[in-house]
Amino acid sequence: MQINKKCFLAVYLIFSIAKCFSEICMNENTFRNFLESNISGYKTYLSVEEFSELKTLQENYFYLLKAGETKLAENILNLSKEKYISLKNSADEKFSLQIEQTENRLKIIQKKFPDNSISKTQSEFLKLKLHFSDTKIVPPQNSVFLEIDRLYNFAMIEKIAEKYVVKKNDCLVKISEQKFGTYKKWKSIYELNKNKMPWPENPDLIYPDMILVLP
C-alpha cells in the first residue's frame, strides 16, 4: 500500500511538472509569435503608451535577431514576456467582445438585406474571425467593422424612417422631386438604399413595390 502511494505521488509530480513546462512553452511561443507578427491591429485596443511600448519592444527584438544577438533577443523576450502577454490578453478580450457584438449585429442586418447585397461583408468578417481563431493575433484593422456598423445603423433607422413604395416608371430623381421639391436629394436616397437594390452599382434600376427609406 505504501509503494502504491509513492508511485501515485511520483506520477502526480511528473504530470504537474510536465503541465507547468507545457504552459511555460505555450506562453513563450505565444509571445514569440506575437512579436513576430503584424501587430498593427492592437493599436485600436491598447492605449497610445501601451502600443508604443509594444512597438519599441518588437523593433528591438527584431534588430537584435537581425544583428545575430540571439541571446540578447531572448533576454528581452524573457524579461518582458509576462507584462506584454498581459497586454495582449487584455486586447484579445476586447477584440473578442467586438467580434461577438458584430455577430449579433449581423443577425439583425441579415433580416433587413438580401444575402447577395451583404455577402462580401459577411465573407470579410468571417476571414477576420478565422484569422484570429487560427493565429490568436488580432488582425490588422480593415473597414469591415465600419461597414457592419453602417448597415446596422441603417437597419435600426429604417424602423422609424419615412418610407416610399416605388411605383411604375419611378426613378430616384423623380422621387426626389416629388418628395423634396428638388432632384438633388436622389443621391441621398440612393446611399440609404443601395444595399437593398438588385444592382447596387446602378441607381437607376429600381422596381415597382420596392420600399425605399427616405432621408
Side-chain angles (χ1 to χ4, degrees):
M1 190 69 178
Q2 188 67 26
I3 294 174
N4 288 339
K5 283 183 179 179
K6 286 182 179 179
C7 288
F8 173 78
L9 288 172
V11 170
Y12 177 78
L13 186 60
I14 290 170
F15 273 106
S16 296
I17 293 171
K19 183 174 182 291
C20 290
F21 181 74
S22 173
E23 287 175 353
I24 290 169
C25 289
M26 181 184 69
N27 284 338
E28 287 180 353
N29 288 335
T30 298
F31 188 53
R32 187 176 284 105
N33 290 340
F34 185 43
L35 284 180
E36 294 175 359
S37 298
N38 179 353
I39 60 171
S40 62
Y42 282 81
K43 194 170 186 177
T44 303
Y45 305 97
L46 296 172
S47 70
V48 174
E49 293 78 12
E50 289 170 338
F51 186 74
S52 177
E53 284 183 89
L54 199 58
K55 285 296 292 181
T56 300
L57 170 68
Q58 188 184 51
E59 288 163 4
N60 289 338
Y61 176 75
F62 275 122
Y63 174 79
L64 290 169
L65 283 180
K66 192 174 180 180
E69 299 289 349
T70 309
K71 285 189 177 180
L72 283 176
E74 288 297 317
N75 284 340
I76 285 182
L77 186 85
N78 292 328
L79 288 171
S80 307
K81 179 175 59 182
E82 185 175 334
K83 177 181 179 182
Y84 288 101
I85 283 181
S86 174
L87 281 179
K88 177 188 181 311
N89 289 342
S90 174
D92 287 351
E93 185 178 347
K94 292 173 187 174
F95 181 75
S96 297
L97 287 173
Q98 187 172 16
I99 287 286
E100 185 179 338
Q101 180 190 56
T102 302
E103 285 177 324
N104 292 332
R105 292 190 166 192
L106 266 176
K107 290 175 185 176
I108 294 171
I109 291 166
Q110 286 164 348
K111 295 176 182 177
K112 295 289 181 182
F113 302 103
D115 288 341
N116 64 331
S117 68
I118 60 171
S119 58
K120 184 178 178 182
T121 301
Q122 288 175 304
S123 176
E124 288 298 314
F125 172 69
L126 185 59
K127 284 180 188 176
L128 206 67
K129 184 180 174 182
L130 288 175
H131 180 280
F132 180 64
S133 178
D134 291 342
T135 65
K136 303 304 178 190
I137 304 294
V138 171
Q141 289 298 298
N142 59 38
S143 59
V144 69
F145 285 129
L146 291 175
E147 176 61 11
I148 289 172
D149 285 345
R150 187 185 73 80
L151 291 170
Y152 172 77
N153 289 336
F154 174 73
M156 300 307 290
I157 288 170
E158 190 179 30
K159 291 181 179 180
I160 57 173
E162 183 182 354
K163 298 172 186 177
Y164 178 85
V165 180
V166 176
K167 301 176 183 65
K168 188 177 180 181
N169 299 323
D170 266 345
C171 67
L172 297 185
V173 168
K174 182 178 176 181
I175 294 168
S176 176
E177 288 176 337
Q178 179 184 330
K179 298 299 291 185
F180 302 105
T182 173
Y183 72 91
K184 294 181 180 180
K185 287 277 189 178
W186 77 266
K187 200 164 188 178
S188 298
I189 299 172
Y190 168 65
E191 289 296 331
L192 276 174
N193 294 279
K194 65 181 179 180
N195 287 290
K196 64 169 69 174
M197 290 180 171
W199 297 276
E201 67 281 359
N202 191 337
D204 292 324
L205 295 175
I206 57 177
Y207 52 87
D209 297 325
M210 179 179 177
I211 299 175
L212 300 178
V213 175
L214 299 181

